[in-house]
Amino acid sequence: MRKECDVIIVGAGPAGLMAAYCAAGNGLSVTVLEKEQRLLRKLLISGKGRCNLTNDSHGDEFLGNIIRGDRFMRSAFSKFASAEIREFFEDAGVPLKVERGNRVFPVSDRSSDIADALLRRVRESGASIITEEVTGIEVTGEGDKTVRCRGGNEYSAPRVVIATGGLSYPKTGSTGDGYRFAEKLGHTVIEPRPALVPIEIEGDLCPKLEGLSLRNVELSAVKRDSGKSVWLERGEMLFTSFGISGPLVLTLSSYLSREDITEYDLHLDLKPALDMKALDERVLRDFSEVKNRDFRNSLSKLLPQKLIGPFVTLTGIPEDQKVNSLTKAQRKNIVGLMKDIKLVPAGFRPVSEAIVTSGGVDLREIDPKTMESKLQKGVYFIGEVIAADGYTGGFNLSIAFSTGHAAGSSMKGQGR
């Protein structure tokens, strides 16, 4: 079977569906092809099932959270960013709320409300969503594009939008198909790497602390060969069986996603609000209250219970040494360790465990106003398949919605 339409969109994720809604709303016949039976699976698990759909920051503050592609995204965000994304879903009947870090969620805390609203608006627009796995895209005569599917069906249109996602969470359908399509069409694909991903740490400290969550700590990254600190931030982190995760770690991983993380050392400050002198005074006060106890039983006011045993081991001080016999040098060691626990990265976790993919279709080959290829007229790239990504907090879904809006809206009046 061969079907003709004005626009074919490959991928029914947030970017593809937003493009479908905008193009169909402009009077074009739109067909969305999606290989997964269940739609929007990745959106449904985002934000721990709550869907952090955007971030209520604006202008340069918003763009400052786009790690790669901030200049490229400026045009799309000027037309459709936080305020417009919120308006879109609120008009679709989903009340929204703003939480810490300006993160925007549905009031219901259900990602399904966002998914249902997006699908409802797309279907109301007249766009068709068909379950078909695309195997190839070719530019045929007179500028038409032929999209071939696994079952033998073919679709033809003057415009094809590639919205297949990246490589993160492959069980949701993001298996890198779009990179293959892009390269076949002559595009450069920047090597996809994991971003917003946990970090593996050498040694046995992290397994001993598995499940421990720390708040208000400071994590920094130092280039080992130069001793230069390249990143420092305060927040929350989590120890796992293989290393570290949590908001701080995910942010760091995106910042260094194009680097070899094993060339850096990480430094954890457990008491960033206190300098060495103030912390030493605090330790002295606490120790004066428990001076007859063993060292291992003296830290309950200073450290989480699960951290005390491993911390005592790191100090090298006998755990049964009495507090009143600790020397000034030993106390200096204790304070210094609270201010700097060194963690040696063994690598990032696999891209399949990443929240987003860093890399993708080279932005220099895409028109930032329309998302149309500069190499193939009528071919568009949107969402995670392009080489733009941001920090956690709703910025990556914003990239998806905004690039989808830019592509679909640019097609006004371009029917067959």
Side-chain angles (χ1 to χ4, degrees), residues 226-289:
S226 66
K228 181 182 178 182
S229 179
V230 299
W231 183 90
L232 182 149
E233 194 164 311
R234 190 177 299 186
E236 301 176 22
M237 62 173 284
L238 171 72
F239 289 96
T240 70
S241 61
F242 55 77
I244 53 176
S245 187
L248 263 183
V249 176
L250 298 182
T251 299
L252 170 60
S253 72
S254 279
Y255 184 81
L256 292 179
S257 67
R258 309 305 303 176
E259 305 287 335
D260 182 354
I261 189 66
T262 63
E263 295 179 359
Y264 293 80
D265 288 325
L266 308 184
H267 296 268
L268 173 61
D269 184 346
L270 298 171
K271 304 292 180 182
L274 301 174
D275 61 20
M276 291 285 285
K277 182 176 183 295
L279 182 55
D280 186 44
E281 292 171 352
R282 164 73 190 278
V283 170
L284 267 174
R285 286 197 306 271
D286 283 13
F287 280 179
S288 69
E289 297 174 2

Side-chain angles (χ1 to χ4, degrees), residues 356-388:
V356 295
T357 309
S358 169
V361 181
D362 194 327
L363 300 180
R364 293 172 295 183
E365 299 171 357
I366 304 170
D367 184 331
K369 294 181 179 179
T370 64
M371 302 298 140
E372 186 174 14
S373 165
K374 294 179 180 178
L375 309 183
Q376 295 283 359
K377 184 175 175 57
V379 174
Y380 301 74
F381 297 96
I382 59 176
E384 197 177 339
V385 76
I386 70 173

Side-chain angles (χ1 to χ4, degrees), residues 199-202 222-225 256 259-266 343-348:
I199 297 173
E200 297 179 355
I201 300 295
E202 294 182 0
V222 175
K223 191 71 181 292
R224 191 175 300 122
D225 59 1
L256 292 179
E259 305 287 335
D260 182 354
I261 189 66
T262 63
E263 295 179 359
Y264 293 80
D265 288 325
L266 308 184
L343 302 170
V344 180
F348 293 119

Side-chain angles (χ1 to χ4, degrees), residues 41-59:
R41 290 178 65 188
K42 189 173 179 182
L43 182 143
L44 287 166
I45 64 174
S46 68
K48 297 181 179 178
R50 298 170 61 218
C51 189
N52 177 195
L53 67 154
T54 188
N55 190 281
D56 192 36
S57 55
H58 308 280

